[in-house]
């Protein structure tokens, strides 16, 4: 019997493949919980009076790390269950802030795919991921390299 929800295999991820995830709205509660659990108690995330009177950023801003981890969560559910074996490295750039009330999704393009020389039955896949806000602006781009299970080991 087929199991639904299994991630994509290496063979499903040739260079040039593109896809996007479903969206996820960032809430005030998400920001408070994330800041609390991570200890990111910077006034930019914890002091609404500071935001109102002193910050160049106006509005309830989310840490870039929150947007990035939400994006990874969207990708795990869509592409990596049972098939993603290792997160190896990445470059990340923040372009625009994400605020409470923004809905984000991830647009993903495979930019490199090759078989692992040291791990038979595994492939290495690098993607260019854009975290896109509901208004079409790109908030963050990052390019992770992951080890992915091959369909045939």
């Amino acid at each position: 019997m087929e199991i639904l929800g299994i991630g994509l295999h290496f063979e499903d991820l040739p260079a040039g493949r593109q896809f996007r995830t479903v969206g996820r709205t960032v809430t005030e509660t998400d920001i408070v919980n994330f800041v609390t659990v991570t200890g990111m108690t910077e006034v930019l995330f914890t002091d609404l009076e500071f935001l109102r009177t002193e910050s160049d950023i106006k509005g309830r801003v989310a840490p870039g790390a929150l947007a990035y981890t939400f994006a990874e969560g969207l990708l795990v559910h869509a592409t990596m269950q049972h098939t993603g074996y290792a997160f190896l490295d990445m470059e990340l750039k923040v372009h625009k802030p994400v605020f409470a009330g923004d809905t984000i999704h991830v647009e993903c393009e495979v930019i490199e795919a090759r078989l692992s020389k040291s791990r038979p039955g595994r492939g290495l896949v690098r993607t260019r991921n854009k975290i896109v806000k509901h208004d079409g602006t790109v908030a963050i781009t990052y390019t992770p390299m992951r080890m992915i299970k091959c369909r045939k080991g």
Side-chain angles (χ1 to χ4, degrees):
M1 178 178 292
E2 180 181 17
I3 300 173
L4 297 179
I6 299 296
L8 300 172
H9 290 84
F10 173 75
E11 294 87 350
D12 302 321
L13 296 166
R17 179 165 184 190
Q18 297 181 22
F19 54 88
R20 68 167 276 184
T21 67
V22 297
R24 166 72 157 84
T25 301
V26 176
T27 68
E28 171 86 17
T29 302
D30 293 328
I31 295 170
V32 170
N33 287 338
F34 186 85
V35 167
T36 301
V37 78
T38 62
M40 295 178 100
T41 55
E42 180 179 347
V43 294
L44 190 60
F45 309 128
T46 61
D47 186 338
L48 296 178
E49 185 63 15
F50 173 84
L51 283 172
R52 189 179 70 71
T53 61
E54 296 184 47
S55 174
D56 289 339
I57 299 173
K58 301 303 179 197
R60 190 66 162 114
V61 66
L66 179 148
Y68 159 73
T69 55
F70 277 20
E72 284 293 283
L74 291 169
L75 286 165
V76 164
H77 290 293
T79 66
M80 291 180 264
Q81 295 287 4
H82 291 260
T83 60
Y85 284 154
F87 186 103
L88 302 174
D89 70 30
M90 76 168 173
E91 292 182 16
L92 181 141
K93 183 172 182 176
V94 177
H95 305 280
K96 300 281 184 184
V98 171
F99 296 96
D102 284 345
T103 299
I104 60 172
H105 69 269
V106 184
E107 295 179 2
C108 185
E109 178 182 5
V110 178
I111 58 175
E112 179 183 356
R114 59 186 165 85
L115 291 171
S116 173
K117 293 176 183 171
S118 62
R119 301 290 306 250
R122 308 290 185 262
L124 301 174
V125 176
R126 183 175 304 280
T127 57
R128 179 179 299 111
N129 298 346
K130 295 179 188 176
I131 301 173
V132 181
K133 297 173 27 163
H134 60 277
D135 65 2
T137 60
V138 176
I140 296 173
T141 54
Y142 65 105
T143 56
M145 173 70 83
R146 304 178 199 274
M147 183 175 291
I148 306 291
K149 179 181 179 180
C150 292
R151 187 170 279 111
K152 298 177 177 110

